[in-house]
Structures are given as C-alpha cells and as structure tokens.
Amino acid sequence: MPSGPVPDRERLLYADVERYDDGRLTWNALRSWREGLPDISFFHHVPEAVRLTRAMQKLGMSSTAGLKTIADIWSAEPPSDAMTWQDSQDLTVRMLESLEDKG
C-alpha cells in the first residue's frame, strides 16, 4: 500500500479503485477535503470538483456496474479529434440514461 505525503494528499483529492493482493477490489472514497486544507475563511463552501464527485458516486458511477456501463457507452465511440461537442453531449446523455435505467 502506498504511504507518505503524496499518496496521503491524493486520497484527499481523488476517488479511486484499489485492488488488494487477493484480487478484491475496494472503493477509496474521498475523505473530507477540509482535512488537507488550512482553516482559511474563503473555504466555507464545498469545491465544485468535490460536489461533482459526490454526485457521480450517488449516480452509481463509481460502482463496478456503473464503471462497466460507462465503459460500454464510451468504448462504442471513443473520443477523437473529430468528435464534436454535440457528439460528446449525446454520449453523456446516453450514459446518464443508462445509469438511471439500471438504478
């Protein structure tokens, strides 16, 4: 298992899947982002990146089934330089609808 200041800081910033030696997968959810920040008055709100990550987790995007759904949608049409904003939006809508359909 990684240890030290860099992995400790990254655990505050990133959600991740970890695999143990026995092959078991676990979800490393974000800890409180305030743990790694000084007590500065302008940090009285939750950063948008944290709000987005929490919303994605609530949608099930971080579960094994959710990650498979995302991979299935996006691997059918991988991002490329030819992809337009509308193409990306259409894939995102399909992905969200599929996640919602699967509960």
Side-chain angles (χ1 to χ4, degrees), residues 1-46:
M1 296 295 292
S3 63
V6 172
D8 289 346
R9 183 181 66 235
E10 288 179 349
R11 283 189 190 97
L12 292 172
L13 300 173
Y14 305 110
D16 202 0
V17 175
E18 296 175 342
R19 179 184 298 239
Y20 290 98
D21 290 337
D22 63 4
R24 185 171 40 105
L25 296 176
T26 61
W27 175 246
N28 174 42
L30 290 173
R31 294 189 323 217
S32 170
W33 59 275
R34 292 179 190 267
E35 291 175 32
L37 297 174
D39 186 21
I40 300 174
S41 62
F42 61 85
F43 283 120
H44 291 292
H45 70 285
V46 178

Side-chain angles (χ1 to χ4, degrees), residues 34-71:
R34 292 179 190 267
E35 291 175 32
L37 297 174
D39 186 21
I40 300 174
S41 62
F42 61 85
F43 283 120
H44 291 292
H45 70 285
V46 178
E48 292 301 316
V50 174
R51 291 181 59 206
L52 176 62
T53 302
R54 288 178 179 165
M56 292 168 69
Q57 189 172 10
K58 286 180 183 179
L59 280 170
M61 295 174 85
S62 58
S63 68
T64 302
L67 292 170
K68 182 174 181 341
T69 299
I70 293 165

